Each structure stands twice: as C-alpha cells, then as structure tokens.
Amino acid sequence: MRRLSGRIVVATHNAGKLKEMRALLAPYGVEAVSAGELGLPEPEETGTTFAANAAIKAHAAAGASGLPAFADDSGICVAALGGDPGIYSARWGGPDKDFDFAMRRIEELLQAQGATAPETRRAWFVSALCVAWPDGHAVEVEGRVDGTLVHPPRGPSGFGYDPMFRPDGHERTFGEMTPEEKHGLPPLGLGLSHRARAFAALAEKVLG
Ligand code: IMP
C-alpha cells in the first residue's frame, strides 16, 4: 500500500472544509496546499455518489498539479426526504451558500410531512475521501455519522448544516460543539464526525 507524505493538494475550494482538512492532516506531518491556492480549475461534479465525486476531484487535482491530491465529497442525507439533499447538499445553499436558507428548506419539507417526532427526523452525514496520485493510483474510504435533526437550529460553531444536526449519543448539535468535540479528536479521541471517521480509515491505509 502506498503511503502519503510531504506536500499534497487538498482539492477543495471550500474554506470551512480546508480548515478542517488541514487540522486533520497536520498530526501526520503532511503539508496541505489547497487547489484554490494553486489556482487549479474546479472540475464539474458529475458523479451520482459521494465516492464518485471525491474521485473526480482528487484525480483532476493530481493530474493538474503533479502532486498527490486529497479530496472529500460530503453532505447530509435526510431519511424522510429519501436521502436528500445528499450529494446536492452544497447546492441547496443556493448561489449565496446560505445554509440558514437550506436548513429552513429541510425544515419546511419535514413539517409538510408532519415530521416533528425525533424518530421521523433521522439524518446522517457522509464523507467520502479519495487520495489520487498523478499516475492514477487511488485509495477511497467513506465515513458516516447518524443523528437527529433539531428545530430550531442551535449553535454558532462549524459550518453548513451543523446547527441542525444532533449526533446520536449527544445532547448538543455539531453547531454547539468545539471542533475537537465534533471530530472526536484527541484528547477525547472518539472519532465522531463523518469526516473524522473517514479520515481514521484513510489514515490506516495511507498515513502514519
Ligand atoms: P461538497 O462536499 O463540497 O459538495 O459540499 C458538501 C456540503 O455538505 C457542504 O457545503 C455543507 O453544506 C454540507 N456539509 C458537509 N460536511 C458538513 C459538516 O461537517 N457540517 C455541516 N455541513 C456539512
């Protein structure tokens, strides 16, 4: 199995995700530069799964930069909405990436179904990660965290749908947690968020 070291490209133009990725990669001594910083073009995400879209982004960035590239595709799936917004989670924020708006939209759709009881408001975050090398070799993993959608959204932390999502086994939403709690990083070290769980699987395969 090939190991990752030195300089890699993080294939994202999303500042929130870049910050999280850097924090997750830092302990492994991997220096992360972003696709945005290198001025790489953003490929079209034409895949129908999280894994396919992560692979498209990682292969495009590795090909364009000549460096190993690391990409994530993630989103939130709501059981009562047939898994929506899923791979379209970013798009539900609209051109202004307004996730208060996206959370209101989810809430309206749930209310229209009378979904007020917690068991009717199940959701899960998914993070698919792909590391691709310029020669086309790639490693893919996926992480998931299940929980319940709360209303109204709570907490100023994180990004995207965090304020609406209360992970199983916790009273607070991701929006009310510190990054250490959300990801379950040391010293808590429980691997909570979808991204941290995917990352742990990836670390086993290509890091350390
Ligand atoms: P993409 O992976 O760039 O297509 O975007 C995924 C979208 O899903 C983000 O813009 C967020 O709205 C949402 N999302 C992904 N991960 C998280 C998370 O950890 N917290 C909150 N929202 C997330």
Side-chain angles (χ1 to χ4, degrees), residues 2-85:
R2 218 181 290 188
R3 295 267 145 190
L4 201 54
S5 62
R7 205 158 170 249
I8 70 158
V9 181
V10 175
T12 182
H13 288 70
N14 174 326
K17 283 209 285 189
L18 176 64
K19 199 170 153 204
E20 290 196 354
M21 295 296 188
R22 278 212 165 117
L24 290 164
L25 285 164
Y28 299 96
V30 172
E31 185 202 340
V33 285
S34 80
E37 284 163 344
L38 294 179
L40 305 181
E42 255 183 291
E44 225 188 305
E45 294 178 30
T46 52
T48 55
T49 62
F50 292 109
N53 283 332
I56 288 170
K57 288 185 270 191
H59 284 288
S65 67
L67 292 168
F70 173 73
D72 135 290
D73 197 60
S74 56
I76 191 163
C77 301
V78 180
L81 306 183
D84 281 347

Side-chain angles (χ1 to χ4, degrees), residues 17 73-75 89-90 99 125 159-162 182 194-195:
K17 283 209 285 189
D73 197 60
S74 56
S89 295
F99 292 102
F125 275 116
F159 67 101
Y161 300 86
D162 279 342
K182 173 180 171 184
H194 48 313
R195 197 161 294 111

Side-chain angles (χ1 to χ4, degrees), residues 86-148:
I87 60 169
Y88 304 111
S89 295
R91 278 179 230 176
W92 276 37
D96 297 333
K97 305 199 170 163
D98 180 349
F99 292 102
D100 290 335
F101 169 77
M103 287 190 286
R104 275 203 304 278
R105 184 170 165 196
I106 290 178
E107 188 57 37
E108 279 164 17
L109 292 169
L110 288 174
Q111 294 290 341
Q113 295 190 15
T116 49
E119 63 273 17
T120 61
R121 300 171 61 89
R122 301 290 298 159
W124 59 96
F125 275 116
V126 175
S127 166
L129 301 180
C130 178
V131 175
W133 279 262
D135 67 2
H137 178 72
V139 173
E140 295 178 11
V141 295
E142 206 163 279
R144 165 175 171 159
V145 57
D146 287 83
T148 303

Side-chain angles (χ1 to χ4, degrees), residues 1 17 102 129 154 178 183 192-193:
M1 187 65 82
K17 283 209 285 189
L129 301 180
R154 306 194 307 247
T178 63
H183 298 304
L192 178 58
S193 74

